[in-house]
Amino acid sequence: MDGNHEPYVNSFKDKRILVIGDLMLDKHIDGTVSRVSPEAPVRVLHVKDERFVPGGACNVAVNLASMSGNVSLIGTVGDDASKNKLLEELKRRSIDTSNIITDKTRPTTLKVKLLAKDHHLLRLDHEIRRPISKDIAAKIIKTLEGSTSKYDAVIVSDYNKGLIDQALSKNIIAICKKNSIPVIVDAKPKNIKHYAGADIITLNKGEASKIFELDVPLEEMGKYLSMDLESTIIITAGSEGMHAFRGDERFSVEAHSIALAEPSGAGDTVTATLGLSIAAGAPLDIAIKMANFAASIAVSKPGLVSPTYSDMLGMMKTEISEYLKENMQVKQTVINNNIHQIEQIVRLITDAYKNNKKVLIFGNGGSAADAMHFAAELVGRFKIERKALPAINLTADSSIMTAVGNDYGFDAIFSRQVEALAQKDDVLIGISTSGNSQNVINAMEAGKKIGASTVSFLGKDGGKLNGVCDVSIVVPSDNTPRIQETHITIVHIICELLENKMFK
C-alpha cells in the first residue's frame, strides 16, 4: 500500500462509532501443568495469573478505542459481579458505557478460559442465549433514534447470543439509512439474511461456506451474497487474504506474511478497522487493506491483541519490511536451485565472446526493460574498465518493432530480428516472467534453427519455455515484481562474473 492510507488514519481520532452487539467478559486463568490429578485422569492447572478482558462486541469496541476512535456501546449485561468487572474494564479503556442496559433476567455472558503457556485447555461458558425481551429491544431502538447525530458509523457485532433478531436488525439498518450512517455488520451465518441492506457484511471463509450446502468457490459465494443481500460482502480467508465483493466488483488483498500466534479476535479487529476507515471516508479498496493489515497485528501475538493508532500510521514501514523479506526469500530459492544454471550461462557467454560472437536479449514490458539493462551493462561496463562486449537489445528499435508487428504480427517481433541478426553460436537470452510469451518462444525456435545457444529467464513454473532452451532459470514465485527483481539480480551477477572471468 502507498501512503494514501495516512489521511484516513489521521482522522480516526475524530470519528464516533457506535457498537451494538452481544457483550461478553472473558476471564483468562493462566498457569502451568506438571501433573495429573490422583482423583481422576485429568491434568492439574497450577494457577499463576487471572485477568479479565472484554469480549464479543466489547472486543470490537476495544479495537476501536485502541486505534483512537471515540466508542459507545449498546448491549445488555446482567445484574451481577461480571457486569461490574466488564464495565470497569470498558471504562478503563475510555469506552462509553452509558447506553448499556441491565437485564436482570439473564447473566452477563462470561467465558472462562483455562490456559497453560498460551495453549487453551478448557473453556467454561456462563450464558443464556434466549432472545431479549421486546421492552429491551424497544429501549435499544429508542436509544439509537435519539442519538444518530452523534455517530459517524454503526457496527453490529452479532455473536448469536440473543440480542439481535430480524426485527431489531432491520430497524437498526433502516434508522441508519434514514440518517446516512454507514452500517458494518459482523454476522453469523444463521442470521445473515437479517442484515440485507447493510453497507458492509463481514464473514470468514468458514462462515460463508456454511451458508451454502454445496462446495462453492469463494468468488461465487461473495458475488451471490452481495447481490442477494444488496450489501458489500467482505470474506476473510486467513492465509488466502481478504476479499470484498460489491455487485460484480471484487477487491482482494494478500495476507501479510507473519507467524500466526492467535487467530481468535481477528474478525473483531477487521470489523472495527473497516468501521473506522469507512467513517473516515476511505474508499473500499483502501479500507480492506487497512483492515487486512490490522488483522495481521491481531493474530501475531497470543491472546486478544488490538492494533494501535501508531501501528496503523506505521503500516507502510511494516509493508516495506515485508516486501524486502519476500524479496530475500525468493532469492534464497535461487541460491538453493539455480546456481548451476547461472554458472552455465556465464560459461556460454564467455565462450561466445572468445569466439567473436554476440549476445541478443529480448522480452516484453518489464522484461524488455531488463533486456535493455542487460545489454547496456555488456556494451558499456559493469564494474571495471574493459573493452566493450557485443550485445543487442531486440526491444529498442521502434521502427523495426512496429514494422514487423504491423506486417507479420506481434508474435514475430523478435523472431524476425533473430533471423536477421543472429549467427551460429551467438547467445540468445529471452526474459519472460510467465514463460508463455509467444514472441519469445518464436524467437528461441528461430535461434535454434540457426544454431545459436538459447537461454531463458523465467518465473512461476517456467511455462512453455521451461525445458525448451539450452539453459533456463526459473524463479519459483507467482509474484511478478519479485520475479523481476530476482532476474535483474541474476543479470548483475552474470555481468560481474563475466568481467572477473574475462578481464581480471
Side-chain angles (χ1 to χ4, degrees):
M1 178 191 294
D2 56 27
N4 58 5
H5 71 284
E6 292 179 2
Y8 305 114
V9 176
N10 285 330
S11 66
F12 279 5
K13 292 181 178 180
D14 301 325
K15 298 309 164 190
R16 301 158 299 173
I17 312 296
L18 174 64
V19 179
I20 305 173
D22 298 294
L23 311 185
M24 307 179 200
L25 178 66
D26 290 354
K27 182 179 180 180
H28 292 188
I29 301 176
D30 296 291
T32 57
V33 174
S34 59
R35 64 189 180 95
V36 176
S37 170
E39 301 164 348
V42 295
R43 290 172 290 181
V44 176
L45 179 68
H46 180 58
V47 177
K48 298 288 188 180
D49 182 50
E50 295 184 4
R51 54 197 169 90
F52 292 91
V53 181
C58 298
N59 187 45
V60 176
V62 168
N63 275 270
L64 289 163
S66 180
M67 291 183 283
S68 296
N70 295 311
V71 195
S72 297
L73 270 169
I74 293 181
T76 65
V77 291
D79 190 11
D80 49 30
S82 293
K83 160 195 167 180
N84 298 331
K85 189 63 182 175
L86 178 58
L87 295 181
E88 176 189 326
E89 292 294 326
L90 292 170
K91 289 175 181 176
R92 188 166 65 83
R93 294 166 171 82
S94 301
I95 295 168
D96 174 25
T97 61
S98 61
N99 293 319
I100 293 177
I101 301 165
T102 299
D103 182 352
K104 294 184 179 182
T105 69
R106 58 201 293 153
T108 303
T109 298
L110 173 67
K111 297 185 180 298
V112 182
K113 301 178 181 180
L114 279 62
L115 305 100
K117 295 183 179 179
D118 298 320
H119 294 289
H120 291 252
L121 303 178
L122 186 67
R123 193 179 89 179
L124 312 174
D125 289 0
H126 303 268
E127 64 183 18
I128 292 177
R129 294 192 176 194
R130 70 167 182 265
I132 58 173
S133 68
K134 292 182 179 179
D135 288 343
I136 289 179
K139 284 183 181 179
I140 292 173
I141 293 301
K142 185 177 180 181
T143 300
L144 178 59
E145 287 179 325
S147 60
T148 52
S149 62
K150 295 180 181 179
Y151 303 114
D152 298 297
V154 170
I155 293 176
V156 178
S157 179
D158 183 0
Y159 272 79
N160 197 30
K161 303 298 182 185
L163 181 79
I164 302 173
D165 61 11
Q166 188 169 9
L168 181 56
S169 61
K170 286 186 178 298
N171 273 316
I172 291 169
I173 292 169
I175 292 167
C176 290
K177 281 191 174 296
K178 181 180 177 181
N179 292 275
S180 301
I181 302 172
V183 182
I184 296 89
V185 178
D186 185 3
K188 293 298 180 186
K190 180 181 177 181
N191 302 332
I192 191 77
K193 294 283 188 180
H194 297 180
Y195 298 104
D199 293 272
I200 294 175
I201 300 174
T202 68
L203 299 156
N204 63 44
K205 186 180 179 182
E207 291 171 334
S209 297
K210 288 179 182 178
I211 298 170
F212 300 86
E213 293 183 3
L214 302 174
D215 185 17
V216 179
L218 186 144
E219 183 162 1
E220 290 183 26
M221 289 193 292
K223 285 185 176 180
Y224 173 83
L225 290 172
S226 180
M227 296 288 192
D228 186 50
L229 301 174
E230 297 182 343
S231 303
T232 295
I233 302 296
I234 295 180
I235 300 177
T236 58
S239 61
E240 298 173 42
M242 189 178 298
H243 311 272
F245 301 89
R246 184 168 57 194
D248 287 330
E249 292 183 284
R250 175 176 177 173
F251 305 94
S252 296
V253 288
E254 294 180 358
H256 289 263
S257 180
I258 56 166
L260 180 65
E262 176 62 75
S264 64
D268 294 334
T269 301
V270 167
T271 306
T273 311
L274 286 170
L276 264 179
S277 302
I278 296 299
L284 181 61
D285 59 333
I286 300 298
I288 64 170
K289 287 177 182 177
M290 289 197 283
N292 186 55
F293 173 75
S296 72
I297 295 173
V299 302
S300 64
K301 298 176 184 178
L304 295 177
V305 177
S306 301
T308 65
Y309 175 77
S310 296
D311 288 333
M312 298 306 293
L313 277 179
M315 181 164 27
M316 190 186 297
K317 291 179 182 177
T318 301
E319 291 200 328
I320 290 169
S321 175
E322 287 186 0
Y323 292 150
L324 290 171
K325 287 176 182 176
E326 185 183 2
N327 177 291
M328 290 187 287
Q329 289 168 358
V330 172
K331 287 175 179 172
Q332 183 62 51
T333 66
V334 173
I335 294 173
N336 296 339
N337 303 321
N338 297 115
I339 287 179
H340 175 63
Q341 288 91 333
I342 295 172
E343 187 178 29
Q344 284 182 292
I345 294 167
V346 172
R347 288 195 173 122
L348 271 178
I349 297 174
T350 302
D351 289 344
Y353 283 147
K354 285 181 177 178
N355 289 292
N356 298 315
K357 300 298 179 178
K358 60 186 176 296
V359 176
L360 297 89
I361 316 170
F362 44 93
N364 299 285
S367 297
D370 289 344
M372 187 178 296
H373 186 147
F374 201 167
E377 301 288 18
L378 295 174
V379 173
R381 66 173 184 179
F382 184 66
K383 287 183 71 174
I384 64 173
E385 258 332 305
R386 41 85 173 170
K387 72 174 186 177
L389 296 171
I392 302 173
N393 166 30
L394 301 187
T395 70
D397 193 319
S398 59
S399 294
I400 292 175
M401 297 270 286
T402 54
V404 174
N406 184 65
D407 294 345
Y408 297 94
F410 189 71
D411 289 347
I413 59 173
F414 301 136
S415 58
R416 190 70 174 172
Q417 294 184 74
V418 168
E419 290 172 16
L421 301 173
Q423 296 176 324
K424 187 177 184 300
D425 296 328
D426 282 347
V427 178
L428 306 187
I429 300 177
I431 307 175
S432 172
T433 57
S434 68
N436 295 319
S437 301
Q438 193 59 49
N439 52 15
V440 177
I441 295 171
N442 292 345
M444 291 302 181
E445 291 173 350
K448 280 183 171 293
K449 290 178 182 178
I450 293 167
S453 299
T454 54
V455 171
S456 56
F457 286 25
L458 311 171
K460 302 177 183 178
D461 62 0
K464 296 176 183 177
L465 271 168
N466 193 12
V468 170
C469 299
D470 296 315
V471 186
S472 292
I473 292 179
V474 181
V475 177
S477 171
D478 290 324
N479 190 325
T480 297
R482 302 295 90 81
I483 296 168
Q484 291 175 325
E485 291 157 6
T486 306
H487 281 173
I488 205 64
T489 299
I490 295 170
V491 166
H492 283 176
I493 291 169
I494 290 169
C495 290
E496 185 158 357
L497 289 172
L498 279 171
E499 288 188 340
N500 291 343
K501 193 173 178 66
M502 295 179 66
F503 300 104
K504 283 190 177 180

